[in-house]
Amino acid sequence: MRIEVEGVRKVFKSRLGQVVALGGVDLSIDQGEFVCFVGPSGCGKSTLCNMLAGFDTPSEGRITLDGQTIKGPSIERAMMFQEPALFPWLNARQNVAFGLNSLPELKNKPDEKHAIADRFLKMVHLAQFGGAQPHELSGGMRQRVALARALAVDPKVLLMDEPFAALDAQTRDHLHIELQTIWRETRKTIVFVTHNVREAVTLATRIVVFTARPGTIKAEFNLEELEFPRSGAASVVNETIARVQSALRDEVAKVEAREYDQPGAPTPVAGGRA
Amino acid sequence: MESIKSMPLRPQNNSVPNSLEATTSPSTTPQVTAPQAIAPQAIAPHTIADVPDSADTSDALKHDKSSRQSGADARSSEASAVGASAVGTATRPITAGQANTESGTTKKVIAEKAAARRAFWSDVAIRAAFVAFLVLLWHTAHYVLVTRTQSWSGALFPAPSQVGRWLWDGFGLSYFTGNYDKVPGHELPQSFLEAIMQKDYVRSIGASIYRLVWGYAIAVVIGFPLGLLVARFSLAEKTIGWLSLSLQSLPSICWIPLALLWFGRFGAAPILFVTVMGALFATVVSVADGIRNVPPLLARAGRTLGADGVRLYSSVLLPAALPGIVTGLKIGWSFAWRSLMAAELIVNAGGLGFLLQRDREFGDAEGVLATILVIIVIGLGVQALVFAPTERRLQNLWGLSGVRS
């Protein structure tokens, strides 16, 4: 499995004119990596994630997975969103089994689908909740069902667009631990978009920092050497966070300069949001 | 934390410190058993609270409060369950937890059913009292205007009792009470069934419902796929969708002259035509709206999980649009019913609308009022027997209920 992003630009046309969201990105992602995209708001990191998923196409350049140009959405590249986006008419188990219906080898094998769904529910520690409707679950539980649903189709890469941003801090911490455990067990390739540097440092093997719009890659940090679990108490973790933040600081300032009235813009707090 | 489960309901304030304890000590203490045993609460946040069997409304209210409390508990214990399992030492007493929940759930279900039954009968009682009040008002007005001041003719403004008698006879029930009004051209009936068939209402209701079912079915069979097309293809939206919107605003009674010209003054064909035209466009518009209002995120979730083309429609968009579609079908039904009545009033082919017209011609105001009542009751009946249960089931499944106190 190898994803190649070659010279990708993305231009959106709006009422106010053209907006260059991505201004030429080259990137490759290898099997088993946990890549975090970090950048100031509007830098195109979510746009790139959408293009990886196939919901959007590059204006220039191309994105390939194992040499094949990405043309549309596929279960090879299952995506998780900020919202769980569970199907409210299905229970948790049926939600997890949903993607399995797309697999030809499981056609007309309801028992096997059921078993697979249960296995992944168990992986996210929701084995007892297979029969629950989404509205009966808490926000964190729903997002875990969504994670199980995306993992169940065994995608080549799991795309996560700020999946924990809507959760409270405590639930988020637990989900970080959970996601980390799952990643270490499965070594699934994961692309994870976030604006939270601490989250990125906690999870990633590689962090890609984007510039302010038009987004390009400003810096990359290789975190493979950093041991899991990465507790916030460890000094090396905090140092890494500081390094990534310093790379990000100018970019956040640029966005703020652009989006606030001048002068009198609030001076960015060191490190921006983290 | 275990104590929440066994705790009696009444001493409310006990649950507060318990939940606080749960939130402050989540993952740090590997309390594996407790969170796991409690976590199932979240499946139905009200599960644990025991409702006393003889609970009156104030009890139900208290219970509601406490269930909200336990909802908060469930969330925090859910969080701690993650923490505990991530530590990796989890040996989970699932069976114990499940056993507890199951018995709790059964109890809860029984209590919920009892509460629903109580709510239903209290609704019925309120409405019955309101109807009784209206009848009393009507009776008083009749007494003042007709009996006392004689400022209005009793033939034009009948008393409720007169209308009641008309209905009693019209449904053939007078067969039992001995005041059977002999129908001209018929022998006195030998059985109740014969009496029913000689009188107006059952036959007319049958005729109207028969036409309604046909007209509505045709409108749905044509309108549903058109609605799908309109939702899917912008060309269809610009043409069929636009046409449906404009024709929907045309009162269906306007089709009657054309229907009479095309299909003649008698027979069911013109009525059916008007009914179909009345319901068709409303159905198209609401089905299309139902699908268009599906959150785009659900469609994206479906597509990223490999659903595309027909399967995206059948397994994501249509189920997601179901609440909107049911509303659309309901609107279509009421359009069909109204159009049908209008058509029957004018086209001379039996049915409830025809009864209205006939009784007007004979100057029987009580007959007209009685038929109006029958039409209203049928409308209410279809709503209560067909649409309300469907909507309720959807709400329960989707969790849209519980907004009302």
Side-chain angles (χ1 to χ4, degrees):
Chain A
M1 206 293 309
R2 188 176 170 84
I3 294 174
E4 295 280 1
V5 178
E6 296 163 15
V8 165
R9 275 168 55 85
K10 181 69 189 174
V11 181
F12 289 108
K13 291 195 176 68
S14 82
R15 208 164 49 83
L16 299 172
Q18 287 194 340
V19 175
V20 184
L22 279 175
V25 171
D26 293 286
L27 184 70
S28 59
I29 297 166
D30 277 318
Q31 171 68 40
E33 279 197 282
F34 194 134
V35 181
C36 273
F37 293 172
V38 180
S41 62
C43 71
K45 54 192 191 295
S46 287
T47 307
L48 182 57
C49 191
N50 273 331
M51 291 194 287
L52 290 172
F55 288 124
D56 222 334
T57 47
S59 308
E60 272 174 45
R62 64 181 207 139
I63 304 176
T64 58
L65 189 154
D66 292 338
Q68 302 271 334
T69 304
I70 289 172
K71 288 208 180 82
S74 150
I75 47 172
E76 284 187 343
R77 293 164 272 117
M79 183 155 174
M80 260 182 85
F81 311 92
Q82 187 170 337
E83 310 291 325
L86 299 180
F87 304 117
W89 58 94
L90 301 177
N91 65 28
R93 183 182 297 112
Q94 291 163 334
N95 262 290
V96 176
F98 181 90
L100 302 175
N101 296 321
S102 319
L103 301 173
E105 66 267 27
L106 285 173
K107 208 171 180 184
N108 300 325
K109 289 179 183 163
D111 292 346
E112 285 181 32
K113 285 185 223 171
H114 194 288
I116 294 173
D118 274 344
R119 202 172 76 230
F120 281 92
L121 276 176
K122 203 174 167 197
M123 183 185 264
V124 296
H125 305 288
L126 287 172
Q128 303 172 53
F129 294 95
Q133 294 296 129
H135 71 92
E136 294 169 321
L137 303 172
S138 72
M141 293 162 96
R142 278 181 224 164
Q143 201 57 293
R144 278 148 64 200
V145 175
L147 177 61
R149 183 175 69 172
L151 286 171
V153 295
D154 194 21
K156 288 184 175 171
V157 54
L158 175 61
L159 305 168
M160 305 175 86
D161 187 3
E162 304 202 32
F164 305 144
L167 300 174
D168 61 89
Q170 202 182 28
T171 311
R172 187 161 56 225
D173 285 347
H174 289 300
L175 279 168
H176 285 164
I177 298 171
E178 187 141 340
L179 180 60
Q180 216 177 75
T181 315
I182 289 171
W183 178 77
R184 286 159 74 189
E185 279 167 12
T186 61
R187 290 287 157 171
K188 181 71 60 194
T189 315
I190 295 178
V191 174
F192 190 106
V193 175
T194 178
H195 57 250
N196 185 329
V197 174
R198 181 171 293 277
E199 182 169 59
V201 172
T202 309
L203 296 170
T205 57
R206 180 151 64 108
I207 295 178
V208 178
V209 178
F210 283 75
T211 63
R213 203 176 60 224
T216 51
I217 293 175
K218 165 139 185 175
E220 290 195 32
F221 295 86
N222 192 330
L223 272 58
E224 261 168 66
E225 307 299 312
L226 208 58
E227 250 175 61
F228 290 108
R230 294 166 182 171
S231 139
S235 59
V236 58
V237 170
N238 284 324
E239 278 163 24
T240 314
I241 291 173
R243 272 166 55 214
V244 177
Q245 276 176 349
S246 71
L248 198 55
R249 191 173 298 131
D250 297 343
E251 304 306 322
V252 173
K254 266 188 226 166
V255 171
E256 290 184 350
R258 191 154 56 199
E259 294 186 354
Y260 284 88
D261 295 333
Q262 298 294 329
T267 29
V269 181
R273 289 181 284 176
Chain B
M1 284 178 74
E2 204 59 82
S3 65
I4 297 177
K5 191 153 292 171
S6 53
M7 193 180 60
L9 175 68
R10 295 306 165 75
Q12 285 279 318
N13 33 3
N14 271 7
S15 63
V16 178
N18 265 324
S19 74
L20 278 177
E21 184 184 289
T23 36
T24 46
S25 64
S27 55
T28 42
T29 48
Q31 263 190 339
V32 183
T33 34
Q36 281 304 334
I38 296 208
Q41 287 163 13
I43 206 164
H46 337 276
T47 311
I48 21 91
D50 250 350
V51 184
D53 286 339
S54 62
D56 56 16
T57 32
S58 71
D59 272 344
L61 217 74
K62 277 184 204 159
H63 159 238
D64 194 40
K65 246 186 204 163
S66 83
S67 71
R68 226 165 286 157
Q69 181 60 53
S70 67
D73 278 357
R75 194 162 312 157
S76 60
S77 65
E78 181 261 321
S80 57
V82 183
S85 47
V87 171
T89 53
T91 48
R92 281 182 255 159
I94 290 175
T95 39
Q98 275 175 341
N100 275 342
T101 336
E102 268 159 30
S103 71
T105 313
T106 339
K107 256 187 195 168
K108 175 63 194 171
V109 165
I110 292 168
E112 242 169 26
K113 277 189 179 156
R117 219 177 302 129
R118 271 199 307 277
F120 174 76
W121 285 114
S122 93
D123 278 10
V124 168
I126 290 170
R127 278 173 202 156
F130 183 61
V131 168
F133 169 73
L134 288 179
V135 170
L136 189 69
L137 207 65
W138 175 8
H139 182 79
T140 315
H142 176 265
Y143 178 74
V144 171
L145 292 172
V146 178
T147 315
R148 278 305 278 257
T149 64
Q150 301 199 331
S151 53
W152 205 350
S153 143
L156 293 183
F157 186 47
S161 58
Q162 284 170 278
V163 174
R165 221 171 306 145
W166 184 283
L167 283 170
W168 185 265
D169 189 54
F171 279 100
L173 291 162
S174 50
Y175 175 80
F176 297 116
T177 47
N179 53 350
Y180 190 84
D181 231 355
K182 188 176 169 300
V183 182
H186 283 279
E187 297 294 312
L188 272 176
Q190 298 304 307
S191 67
F192 179 49
L193 195 70
E194 228 173 283
I196 284 179
M197 293 319 290
Q198 285 182 12
K199 293 292 180 181
D200 292 329
Y201 279 124
V202 172
R203 258 186 308 122
S204 302
I205 291 172
S208 288
I209 298 271
Y210 181 77
R211 288 170 193 158
L212 177 75
V213 168
W214 269 106
Y216 183 51
I218 293 171
V220 169
V221 165
I222 300 173
F224 200 87
L226 285 182
L228 294 185
L229 282 180
V230 168
R232 174 68 182 82
F233 300 105
S234 72
L235 182 65
E237 191 193 345
K238 283 169 193 157
T239 53
I240 303 171
W242 172 76
L243 185 72
S244 303
L245 265 179
S246 23
L247 288 181
Q248 195 199 354
S249 64
L250 179 75
S252 54
I253 203 164
C254 297
W255 291 107
I256 289 180
L258 193 62
L260 292 175
L261 285 175
W262 283 357
F263 302 105
R265 185 97 175 75
F266 302 95
I271 296 177
L272 213 57
F273 174 74
V274 173
T275 310
V276 171
M277 291 315 254
L280 176 63
F281 304 110
T283 309
V284 173
V285 170
S286 4
V287 167
D289 275 352
I291 291 179
R292 261 197 301 257
N293 288 338
V294 170
L297 189 62
L298 283 184
R300 279 161 59 103
R303 290 170 67 202
T304 194
L305 292 164
D308 50 10
V310 175
R311 209 169 82 77
L312 184 67
Y313 260 76
S314 65
S315 64
V316 179
L317 292 179
L318 275 181
L322 207 54
I325 288 173
V326 169
T327 309
L329 292 179
K330 199 167 87 173
I331 293 170
W333 176 81
S334 72
F335 270 79
W337 185 231
R338 286 180 223 179
S339 315
L340 175 70
M341 289 301 114
E344 284 184 344
L345 264 172
I346 292 172
V347 181
N348 210 343
L352 288 167
F354 167 75
L355 284 189
L356 285 174
Q357 184 66 3
R358 186 202 63 187
D359 291 342
R360 182 196 68 83
E361 281 166 5
F362 285 115
D364 286 327
E366 63 258 55
V368 174
L369 281 168
T371 307
I372 287 177
L373 285 179
V374 169
I375 293 170
I376 292 173
V377 167
I378 291 175
L380 286 176
V382 172
Q383 164 66 21
L385 296 176
V386 180
F387 289 107
T390 315
E391 286 177 315
R392 202 159 41 234
R393 201 172 304 163
L394 268 179
Q395 282 172 354
N396 286 340
L397 187 66
W398 287 51
L400 304 169
S401 59
V403 181
R404 237 166 46 127
S405 62

